[in-house]
Every structure is written in C-alpha cells, then in structure tokens.
Amino acid sequence: MAGEETQIQQAQEWHPKRNPWIIAIPLMASVFMFALDETISNVALPYMAGSFSCSHSEITWVITFYLIASGIIIPAVDFFCKLFGRKNFLQMSIILFTVSSFLCGISKSLVMMIVSRFLQGIGGGAIVPLTQAIMLESFPKEKRPQAMALFGLGVVFAPIIGPALGGWITENWSWPYIYFINIPLGFIVLILMHQLVEDPPYAKKQKNVHIDYIGFIFLSVWLICLQIVLDKGNDADWFGSTWVCWMSFISCLSGVLFVVSQLKQKKPLTDLRVLKDKNFFFGTAIQTILVATMMGSSVMLPSMLQQMMGYTSFLSGISMVPRGAGCLVSTLITATLLGKFGEKRYVFVGAIILGIGGLAFGNINLQISLKNIAIPNFLFGLGMVMAMVPLIDMSCRTLRNDQMTNASGIQNLIKNVGAAVGTSLVTTCVSRFAQVHQYMMVGKLSDLNTAFIDRANEMTNAMMANNMNFETATHAAHGLLYNQLVQQSYLWAYVDTFRLFAIATFAIPPLLLFLNSRKKSD
C-alpha cells in the first residue's frame, strides 16, 4: 500500500526536464508516420495486385493483417512498458516499424508483403497510445488542450492526406516508395526521441514482470477473428456463410473470456478498471463514433469517385485535401478558443458541423466536380478536429499520470475496433442499399411505363441511324438503360450511407451530458 501511495505521489509530482513542446516534435512525427500508413496503401492495392499476380480479394489481406497486428499490440503496451521501460519500448517499436517498411517496399510476393505488413502493424500499433500518454503527462494540465489539439491534428490529418499522397507517389514513382518514405523519417524520429524523451519513475523498466499469457491468447483470437469477419464478411454474405458464423462465435466467446480474465487476474494484461471512470468511458465511446465516421467516410468517398465517376487514384485522393484544410483551420481555432468557449459546447458545435457535412454529402450526384465536394469535405475536417481534440483531454483528465499508458492502450484499442466497424459498415451499407434501390426501381423498366418506352425508342433510333439493325439496337438500348439504373441505385446507396453517418454524429450531443468538463481535485 505504501509503495502504491509513493507511486501515485511520483506520478503527480513528475515533470520532464525539457520543454514539452520540444518533446512533442519526435512524438508527433512518429504519430504522423504511423497514421499515414493506415490509409496510404489503400489507393496502391490495384498496383500491388498486379505486381504479385493476385486478385483484389487476396491483396486486401495487406490491410487486414496490418490492422490485426496493431490491434493486438495496443492493449498490451502497458505490459511491454513495464518489461522494457516505456522509452525503450517506443524506440523498439519505431525501429521495427521502419525496418518492416523497408521489407514492404522490397517484397516480391504476396506472402512476404503480408508478413512485412504484420510486422509493421506490431511496430506501429504502440506508437499512438504511447505518444498520447507521454504528451498528456509531459504538459501541465492547463496546457493539455493545446497539446491535444496538436496530437489530434496528427491522428486525423495524416489518414486524410494518405490517399492523396499515396496516389501521387504511386502514379509518379511506384508503389514501393509509399513505404520507403518511412525509412529516413523513422531514423530521424529515433535519434530525436533518444535525445529528448525521458521516462518518469513509474514508467521505467520494472523487475519480476510476468505476462498474462491467457489474456493475451484470448485477446489475439478475439481481434483476429473479429477483423477477418469485418473485412471479409460482406463478400461471404455475412451470416449466410457458415465460416462467418463460426468466426463470429469464436470472436464473441474470446472477447468475453478476455474481459473476464482481465477482471479476475491479479496482474492482468490490461487494467480494465479505468473504464469505471465516467469521463474515460463516455469520452472513449464518443471518440469511437467519431473515428468510425472518419474512417468510413474516408474509404467511401474515394471509392465512389473511382468506381462511378472514373477518377484516378490520385484525383480521388486529392478530393480529400479540403478535409485536411478543415483540420488545419480547426486546429488553429481550437488552440486559441477552446479555453474560452467551453469544452462541452465546443464538442457539441463540432459534432453538429460534422453532421451537416455528412448531410451535405447526401446531395451529391454523378454530375459533380471536385469543387462540389470541397465544402462538405472542409466541414467534415473542421467538425472532426473540433469534436475530437477536447474529448482526448476530457476523457483522461480524471486519471492519474501513472494510469495514462494503460488507459491510452485501452482507448486506442476500442477506437481501432470502431474504425474497423466503420469501414466494414460502408461496404455492407453500399452493397445492401444498392440492392434495395435496384429492386425498387427495376419495375420502372417495363413496357407499361411510357417514359421508359419513349427513352428506349429514342436510343434505338439513334443506334439504327448508325447502321445497326433493329433487334441489336433494341437490345443495346435496353442494356444501356439497365446499366443506368444500376448506376443510379449505387449512387443512392452512397447517399444513404453518407446520411447514416451524419445521423450517427447527431447521437453525440446527448452523450456529452455524462462528461464532467471540470477536473477533479487531486
């Protein structure tokens, strides 16, 4: 008991020797590097598939295994920090991330690429929770909102510009360079981190550290099965497939056993008791909704532009640039106005702006240009940072410094699951909504519909004017009209999915009532 009280006192009194803004330089560079790799590979998948002579379904394992690896390592960061020391573990993670990036770039087969991406995910998974914990501890509490504004910019901005940067690199150089760019940045970050970052007493290497093998096995099985189901479930018709049912059952059972084991173990892999903190629980829940919305929409818009409007990977990535501009503007506003405006009201306004941006995407059509989606994208970036940044600080405000590493791991694990669910939800919603709209509209392609007859006759006559016989022209006209119907059904599916994400953000304001915007007395 006396040792625990001493640790709590050390956590409250510790301050870094260097200016925390200087410490933030290598931390933010590492966050940006990891967050960028979450989306930079997406636009290069077709090029990778060509290099490895594999199908689109097979190449998506490059993304899946990266997410699986990062998801497994995130909740175990507190254990590895005790085993190696937090600074040492962070440096080891950056080394592994950098080396595996090189291996990704030189991969000559799909198997080697998947293994390299898995290692990259293991190395990168610990970066975000550790840097979040270090920044929260390094800055005094009155400066944390500004620090979290900077942190939030890296977490949100990097995945947004990832597709644009990845598309430009892929089209102008080749896809391996999207991984090679991590190598010089990784070495610079490692050198700066070695010089600037320090461990507080409670984050140093500890003796007699034992791993919770049972908890780690349950965690791994849970996340592996969950990620596979979310990534491949839609292609297999979800619970219409036997293997999806079994994988879902194993995932749910492993998840329950993981939680039970962590609550019963004296020295668990992760201390789930932090979820009893009301601010942490509801702050994490709201952030999960925001992350799911951000990742889902980031996947949906470039996909729509490429598949329905013929945009290149670079142009579809450029479509996300206004969102990045919104993030930058919001960061500047947040750093100056957050303390004056009030955190809850600030998050409320951010969620409303985010919802308005989603509803604005609900008015798109196939005649739009990049300029037409600039304003909704800007609103999306503006609202995302305004809502996200205060929540990072508010969710951890009532926790002690020595709880930050464990809490950051749990929070980022839940957010990772939210991102996976959001991405999977996009695929499912677009597919199912398109089927619904096609079913509703196909009845219009009937000889009883005069508008359809008139349009078909116009197209048939136009084709016959080009020396096509009547039967062939009639068949071709009906085929073109059916293709237009399918295209319109998918357009409506994207519109409905954008509106669904907007509605999800409007569910955030009621949850703010459960947050305490004032810090508790220590």
Side-chain angles (χ1 to χ4, degrees):
M1 182 67 69
E4 184 177 349
E5 291 178 353
T6 302
Q7 188 181 48
I8 294 174
Q9 184 177 3
Q10 289 176 338
Q12 293 172 344
E13 294 178 353
W14 180 82
H15 298 288
K17 297 178 183 178
R18 294 179 175 83
N19 189 315
W21 290 108
I22 301 298
I23 297 174
I25 294 174
L27 296 177
M28 288 310 306
S30 62
V31 167
F32 189 86
M33 182 173 63
F34 168 74
L36 188 69
D37 267 51
E38 287 186 316
T39 57
I40 197 172
S41 301
N42 294 356
V43 296
L45 291 182
Y47 300 89
M48 294 183 196
S51 298
F52 302 138
S53 300
C54 61
S55 67
H56 174 75
S57 178
E58 291 172 326
I59 199 62
T60 55
W61 287 110
V62 171
I63 305 296
T64 302
F65 273 85
Y66 180 78
L67 296 175
I68 288 174
S70 60
I72 290 173
I73 203 69
I74 283 174
V77 293
D78 191 46
F79 162 77
F80 285 110
C81 288
K82 293 175 182 177
L83 183 64
F84 300 111
R86 189 169 65 188
K87 178 180 176 179
N88 291 336
F89 178 51
L90 182 55
Q91 289 177 315
M92 290 166 60
S93 298
I94 293 172
I95 292 172
L96 180 58
F97 185 86
T98 305
V99 172
S100 56
S101 295
F102 173 74
L103 294 177
C104 288
I106 64 172
S107 294
K108 301 300 181 182
S109 68
L110 180 61
V111 173
M112 181 179 178
M113 186 67 187
I114 289 175
V115 172
S116 301
R117 283 286 282 177
F118 186 82
L119 293 174
Q120 192 184 38
I122 291 177
I127 291 176
V128 172
L130 289 182
T131 51
Q132 177 180 329
I134 293 172
M135 289 188 69
L136 283 168
E137 294 171 15
S138 300
F139 284 85
K141 291 189 175 181
E142 63 273 11
K143 294 292 185 182
R144 284 182 182 174
Q146 290 83 354
M148 289 302 98
L150 180 63
F151 179 80
L153 176 64
V155 171
V156 175
F157 183 69
I160 289 173
I161 69 167
L165 182 60
W168 185 84
I169 292 175
T170 301
E171 291 190 3
N172 288 276
W173 296 340
S174 60
W175 67 262
Y177 285 91
I178 65 177
Y179 300 109
F180 289 152
I181 60 173
N182 292 328
I183 298 173
L185 182 59
F187 280 111
I188 293 172
V189 167
L190 190 64
I191 294 171
L192 291 177
M193 194 167 291
H194 179 73
Q195 297 293 328
L196 300 176
V197 177
E198 59 183 298
D199 277 340
Y202 50 84
K204 293 182 180 296
K205 181 180 179 180
Q206 299 180 16
K207 297 181 179 179
N208 300 321
V209 178
H210 301 284
I211 186 170
D212 176 15
Y213 290 103
I214 295 177
F216 190 77
I217 291 173
F218 286 147
L219 170 70
S220 301
V221 174
W222 168 43
L223 292 177
I224 290 172
C225 293
L226 176 64
Q227 189 64 52
I228 292 174
V229 168
L230 291 175
D231 277 9
K232 306 297 181 181
N234 187 65
D235 295 337
D237 194 29
W238 290 107
F239 297 109
S241 171
T242 302
W243 75 262
V244 171
C245 294
W246 276 108
M247 292 285 279
S248 301
F249 171 75
I250 295 171
S251 177
C252 292
L253 180 62
S254 301
V256 171
L257 292 175
F258 170 70
V259 173
V260 172
S261 68
Q262 298 309 286
L263 294 176
K264 288 189 174 182
Q265 288 277 4
K266 292 183 179 180
K267 295 182 178 180
L269 187 69
T270 56
D271 186 2
L272 299 179
R273 290 176 297 178
V274 292
L275 292 170
K276 294 181 180 179
D277 186 283
K278 187 175 69 173
N279 261 33
F280 182 75
F281 180 84
F282 285 101
T284 301
I286 297 173
Q287 288 182 65
T288 303
I289 297 174
L290 291 171
V291 169
T293 302
M294 179 186 74
M295 294 304 295
S297 62
S298 296
V299 170
M300 183 163 46
L301 184 60
S303 173
M304 188 201 76
L305 294 176
Q306 289 185 56
Q307 294 182 10
M308 301 193 65
M309 302 184 66
Y311 279 46
T312 64
S313 58
F314 175 62
L315 284 178
S316 63
I318 288 294
S319 70
M320 305 300 290
V321 171
R323 187 174 298 193
C327 291
L328 290 173
V329 172
S330 185
T331 301
L332 296 175
I333 296 174
T334 301
T336 55
L337 297 181
L338 180 57
K340 303 175 184 178
F341 195 67
E343 292 166 317
K344 283 187 179 181
R345 284 182 287 181
Y346 201 81
V347 176
F348 176 84
V349 173
I352 297 300
I353 292 175
L354 191 60
I356 293 173
L359 291 178
F361 276 125
N363 294 320
I364 58 177
N365 56 58
L366 297 180
Q367 282 71 49
I368 61 172
S369 66
L370 284 176
K371 293 186 291 184
N372 298 114
I373 57 177
I375 294 178
N377 251 335
F378 181 84
L379 292 176
F380 230 89
L382 188 70
M384 182 61 67
V385 173
M386 287 183 67
M388 180 72 78
V389 168
L391 284 168
I392 298 174
D393 180 35
M394 291 172 68
S395 63
C396 297
R397 178 171 299 159
T398 50
L399 302 176
R400 302 189 309 270
N401 277 1
D402 59 308
Q403 296 176 301
M404 289 297 183
T405 303
N406 175 70
S408 296
I410 294 174
Q411 186 175 88
N412 283 280
L413 167 65
I414 297 173
K415 286 160 66 174
N416 262 28
V417 173
V421 171
T423 304
S424 178
L425 190 63
V426 166
T427 306
T428 302
C429 286
V430 170
S431 175
R432 299 305 167 92
F433 289 163
Q435 292 175 6
V436 170
H437 285 293
Q438 185 174 342
Y439 175 79
M440 293 173 62
M441 290 190 293
V442 75
K444 303 294 184 181
L445 301 186
S446 168
D447 290 338
L448 300 176
N449 184 354
T450 56
F452 167 70
I453 294 173
D454 292 341
R455 182 61 176 160
N457 288 336
E458 289 178 7
M459 297 178 69
T460 300
N461 293 331
M463 293 179 187
M464 290 176 64
N466 291 321
N467 298 322
M468 187 179 292
N469 63 60
F470 176 76
E471 291 78 9
T472 305
T474 302
H475 180 74
H478 283 79
L480 287 173
L481 288 171
Y482 179 75
N483 288 338
Q484 290 179 8
L485 181 144
V486 172
Q487 191 179 47
Q488 288 297 317
S489 67
Y490 271 95
L491 173 63
W492 275 107
Y494 281 109
V495 167
D496 288 345
T497 307
F498 275 122
R499 290 174 177 172
L500 184 65
F501 277 99
I503 293 171
T505 60
F506 289 133
I508 291 175
L511 296 177
L512 296 175
L513 299 175
F514 296 97
L515 290 175
N516 178 17
S517 58
R518 294 184 179 182
K519 67 178 181 180
K520 294 179 181 179
S521 57
D522 294 326

